[in-house]
Amino acid sequence: MRVSVVGASGNLGRHLCEELTALGHQVDPISHAECDLAEPHREQLYRLRDRLTAFDSHLCYNAAAYTDVDGAERETDRAFLINALGAELVARAAEDAGATVCHISTDFVFGGDAKRPYDEFDPPNPLSAYARSKRAGEELVLRATRRCFVVRVGGLYGHGGRNFFSTLVSRLRAGQFLSLDSERLVSPTWTRALAQQLIVLCERGEHGVYHATCQGSTTWHGFATALCEEATSLGLPLAATFTPVGSSELKTVAARPAMSLLEPHMLRLRGLLRMPTWREAMRGYLHELITAGQL
């Protein structure tokens, strides 16, 4: 299969390119410099459409996004340009080029007040500018093309990533003292496992809205504790220089869902669920760091 990846220089985009290439797919990585979704104008649309057409792309992953949750409160227009209008641009370009699009969304489209994990049939209730921009992106993509997968993910971390939990191991190795949330429920999700799941979905699945995170739940403090335990069992102990704090003690600009769990109901119903538990994925991540000489 011939696959294009928008946002190929990001953490998920890089993992997608690696996993697709390993499976023998032909991949066209499209970086931010080559397709800036902060400028979703007509010329950008034509350039992307022509690139997808020239590559004869069957599938286009959109892994590009504005992900600074607090920053979106200050740069709301920029968040909407990238996450909403930019997402629509990719979907329209794919539609014009005859390609399917796989758009990546977020668990933050939900309010976090449910008593169980959210599935694909629950109504969104975004709390922040970032969450509203991502919800708007979902709606615009679904209007732009019928040939689309909209996949909500959350709690991402991975080798080479720049977000906080992608850099947790290096922070602990450096002895940084950290305050970690011990209340908000999450499903920490290794980007490599997610990339593998996305490929399975887009190769064999039906178009529509899906949830994809690692299975099970914990808090970010629980994740860090398990990370240290697993590293110790591998003979490479990490200093547990962190302390648990309540969600309200963490100073944030934007509201976060108190419970950020997704139920992959549609993947399960279609027999496509491949996501490991979060602890299994964490072990795979640590082994990857060891191989890379970073643990």
Side-chain angles (χ1 to χ4, degrees):
M1 186 163 58
R2 303 177 70 84
V3 184
S4 300
V5 180
V6 176
S9 56
N11 192 24
L12 177 56
R14 285 187 290 101
H15 283 82
L16 275 168
C17 290
E18 291 170 3
E19 292 298 318
L20 286 162
T21 300
L23 290 170
H25 297 294
Q26 293 178 274
V27 181
D28 181 23
I30 303 174
S31 68
H32 171 269
E34 296 168 304
C35 182
D36 185 357
L37 297 186
E39 299 181 2
H41 47 67
R42 184 172 297 179
E43 290 75 17
Q44 188 89 270
L45 170 65
Y46 294 160
R47 284 198 296 270
L48 181 57
R49 178 202 62 191
D50 292 347
R51 179 157 178 172
L52 298 179
T53 301
F55 186 65
D56 191 23
S57 182
H58 305 130
L59 170 66
C60 178
Y61 288 98
N62 180 15
Y66 182 105
T67 58
D68 184 347
V69 178
D70 289 333
E73 299 296 322
R74 301 184 297 271
E75 296 185 301
T76 301
D77 283 355
R78 181 173 176 80
F80 271 83
L81 282 171
I82 297 170
N83 292 342
L85 273 65
E88 179 188 41
L89 181 148
V90 176
R92 289 178 59 196
E95 173 70 12
D96 290 349
T100 296
V101 67
C102 179
H103 173 69
I104 308 303
S105 190
T106 177
D107 55 331
F108 275 39
V109 300
F110 295 109
D113 55 352
K115 302 301 182 184
R116 56 165 176 76
Y118 291 95
D119 72 9
E120 296 86 347
F121 304 102
D122 287 311
N125 179 30
L127 302 179
S128 64
Y130 163 73
R132 288 188 294 110
S133 74
K134 292 297 288 183
R135 175 56 183 160
E138 293 181 357
E139 293 176 318
L140 290 173
V141 167
L142 290 166
R143 291 176 193 169
T145 179
R146 293 181 179 180
R147 294 191 302 258
C148 67
F149 301 94
V150 172
V151 186
R152 295 174 181 141
V153 305
L156 300 190
Y157 68 92
H159 181 211
R162 291 179 293 180
N163 67 357
F164 183 86
F165 286 97
S166 293
T167 61
L168 181 58
V169 168
S170 62
R171 291 171 185 269
L172 294 177
R173 290 185 67 187
Q176 290 186 23
F177 185 78
L178 308 172
S179 297
L180 301 181
D181 195 322
S182 62
E183 291 182 345
R184 189 167 76 89
L185 292 176
V186 295
S187 296
T189 298
W190 184 27
T191 46
R192 188 165 302 284
L194 175 60
Q196 293 166 352
Q197 174 69 81
L198 292 173
I199 294 168
V200 169
L201 170 62
C202 294
E203 282 181 337
R204 290 181 281 170
E206 302 291 336
H207 300 149
V209 178
Y210 291 85
H211 290 175
T213 59
C214 285
Q215 299 297 284
S217 66
T218 185
T219 64
W220 283 120
H221 180 267
F223 174 77
T225 300
L227 192 74
C228 289
E229 291 171 353
E230 186 65 25
T232 298
S233 73
L234 294 171
L236 297 164
L238 293 169
T241 54
F242 51 84
T243 188
V245 297
S247 300
S248 61
E249 297 177 67
L250 296 170
K251 295 181 179 180
T252 61
V253 176
R256 267 77 166 168
M259 188 278 290
S260 195
L261 303 179
L262 299 178
E263 167 62 31
H265 200 172
M266 288 300 294
L267 286 174
R268 183 174 290 109
L269 288 175
R270 295 199 187 279
L272 297 170
L273 183 60
R274 302 291 186 273
M275 296 301 291
T277 68
W278 67 266
R279 291 193 74 113
E280 290 169 338
M282 181 193 67
R283 294 185 193 105
Y285 169 63
L286 287 177
H287 283 286
E288 187 169 283
L289 291 183
I290 292 170
T291 300
Q294 297 184 8
L295 181 60

